Amino acid sequence: MERFELRFSGNAPLVGRAHVGVVASGDLEVLMEPANETVVSVRTSVDGFEKVWRATLERFFARHPVAARIEINDSGATPGVVSLRLAQALERTKA
Amino acid sequence: MSVPALMSRTSFVELNARERARALLDVGSFRELLGPFDRIESPWLARQNIVPQADDGVVVARGTIGGVAAVVIAIEGAFQGGSTGEVSGAKIAGALELAAKDAEAGKPIRPVLVFETGGVRLQEANLGLAAMADVHAAVVALRAHVPVVGVIAGMIGCFGGMGITAGLVSRLIVTKQARLGLNGPEVIEQNAGVEELDSRDRPLIWSLTGGEQRHAVGLADDLVADDADALADAVRAAFDRGAPAEHASERIAFWRARLDRLPAAPEGMALRKLWTGDRP
């Protein structure tokens, strides 16, 4: 397991909070909450992929520059699954 | 199930624990206790290099079932095999104990356990075992007042200490995809050898521990199709029927007599013939 924290410069406020996903093989859990600055805490079962996480998250925040506290508990999800879960969480914050 | 029925139903097996709890409660009544944002996670997993989950794999939800106050405890089978650790076990036992308090005070409560678990979480062995004892005691205390309904949907099924919990509930609902047992097939194979039981032989495994078999020999009360609405109906009906005069786990002489007649090489269909019509 590896853990790291990544910071981004989002400023669009979130309406609510959302929880999606399960820490199951190839999947991840995302907790997304309103915050003043954008910090993503990642715990992942696969070591050595911080660069890929940064790139995946950069792409998400480029499209959705939200100010959010995000916690990710990952069990080996691919970048595609990570992107979908993030988009799903953001969608749920609006519900 | 016909093709149109198959296409229009919502599979309960495919739902995660939170969605299952929501599906069993009356529409719009779901309210989660100790949800993921409360962050009551396992303190032991990260120390063993295992990624924890914010709800430790157990969803406790209050709401109503058939208009009556209810608590649904749903285990997430996809996280660590639905295993019972210190926190997940305490959530299950605590929810049952609170329901027992309500029941003792004369408040109506409908408790449902949605199993999907291999039993105790080995990484938290002793704490998980201790929690299991609390869960068993809580079910026995609670069922003296109100029926406790269990659901096993699959595909993991219900094994280990939770297999005992499933044996203690007032009414057990299973699907064909469910499995119920004490030692899981992999454990049996590992301990007794592949000649004893080939855990990869799925037809064999389901012929012994599958929901249809367990229902046929009276170890489960209702066999329901994998359909969220059908399961919600079955749960409501189980509560409407009320608690049995005597719980299956209290009928010790009955089960002992069955074991006395156990053939040397138990086989699914033979057991069905031997035990059908002999319902507890």
Side-chain angles (χ1 to χ4, degrees):
Chain A
M1 184 182 79
E2 200 170 79
R3 57 173 91 199
F4 44 85
E5 218 170 69
L6 301 172
R7 286 167 189 277
F8 299 89
S9 55
N11 49 21
L14 275 189
V15 186
R17 64 183 194 183
H19 169 262
V20 297
V22 173
V23 190
S25 182
D27 201 352
L28 73 160
E29 178 183 47
V30 178
L31 289 86
M32 190 180 279
E33 291 174 283
N36 294 325
E37 48 174 356
T38 297
V39 181
V40 184
S41 312
V42 178
R43 289 188 289 194
T44 171
S45 61
V46 190
D47 294 359
F49 282 83
E50 191 175 331
K51 267 188 188 164
V52 179
W53 279 99
R54 181 174 285 284
T56 306
L57 288 160
E58 263 167 9
R59 197 170 309 140
F60 174 77
F61 288 111
R63 191 177 288 182
H64 312 283
V66 288
R69 177 184 172 200
I70 296 177
E71 277 172 62
I72 291 175
N73 294 319
D74 167 60
S75 184
T78 60
V81 172
V82 174
S83 301
L84 285 169
R85 283 291 185 208
L86 286 167
Q88 185 192 17
L90 183 64
E91 200 59 40
R92 289 264 177 96
T93 63
K94 298 169 188 165
Chain B
M1 205 179 269
S2 70
V3 173
L6 199 65
M7 298 304 284
S8 63
R9 57 113 205 213
T10 300
S11 164
F12 191 81
V13 171
E14 288 168 16
L15 300 180
N16 67 32
R18 193 160 284 105
E19 293 164 338
R20 287 177 173 198
R22 207 179 279 278
L24 295 184
L25 289 163
D26 294 343
V27 175
S29 74
F30 174 98
R31 179 170 62 87
E32 188 167 355
L33 307 181
L34 291 185
F37 287 99
D38 293 309
R39 297 180 173 82
I40 312 287
E41 62 175 38
S42 164
W44 308 107
L45 291 179
R47 295 182 200 188
Q48 296 171 69
N49 265 324
I50 297 167
V51 179
Q53 183 163 292
D55 57 18
D56 204 30
V58 166
V59 174
V60 178
R62 291 295 306 251
T64 57
I65 292 177
V68 179
V71 59
V72 178
I73 302 158
I75 301 173
E76 177 52 69
F79 173 65
Q80 293 297 323
S83 57
T84 305
E86 182 186 19
V87 169
S88 55
K91 283 175 78 170
I92 299 170
L96 292 167
E97 285 160 12
L98 283 176
K101 263 190 192 159
D102 276 358
E104 278 160 22
K107 290 186 203 163
I109 182 80
R110 294 184 155 185
V112 185
L113 281 158
V114 186
F115 300 106
E116 206 64 72
T117 168
V120 167
R121 184 178 296 162
L122 298 182
Q123 295 88 347
E124 306 180 25
N126 294 353
L127 297 166
L129 278 171
M132 206 59 91
D134 290 342
V135 170
H136 295 163
V139 170
V140 171
L142 184 53
R143 74 182 193 187
H145 302 279
V146 292
V148 180
V149 174
V151 177
I152 309 174
M155 296 292 291
I156 289 180
C158 182
F159 293 97
M162 280 297 167
I164 299 174
T165 314
L168 291 171
V169 300
S170 314
R171 204 164 179 93
L172 186 63
I173 300 166
V174 297
T175 68
K176 268 191 187 177
Q177 289 80 359
R179 293 183 297 168
L180 169 62
L182 208 51
N183 285 342
E186 287 84 359
V187 176
I188 297 172
E189 183 187 308
Q190 200 169 27
N191 284 287
V194 70
E195 307 80 13
E196 177 73 15
L197 189 71
D198 180 356
S199 66
R200 286 172 305 174
D201 186 344
R202 292 164 72 90
L204 172 69
I205 300 308
W206 260 266
S207 79
L208 290 167
T209 63
E212 196 173 9
Q213 173 74 6
R214 293 315 202 188
H215 177 253
V217 299
L219 285 162
D221 302 286
D222 301 307
L223 180 67
V224 178
D226 172 25
D227 176 319
D229 290 335
L231 277 158
D233 288 345
V235 167
R236 263 195 307 276
F239 283 113
D240 290 340
R241 198 175 282 116
E246 192 178 28
H247 278 88
S249 65
E250 293 170 303
R251 305 193 58 194
I252 294 164
F254 170 85
W255 298 110
R256 195 165 275 164
R258 257 197 186 187
L259 288 177
D260 286 343
R261 287 187 285 126
L262 197 67
E267 182 268 320
M269 281 319 284
L271 289 178
R272 259 194 229 199
K273 271 192 201 123
L274 191 64
W275 287 340
T276 300
D278 172 28
R279 300 192 68 83

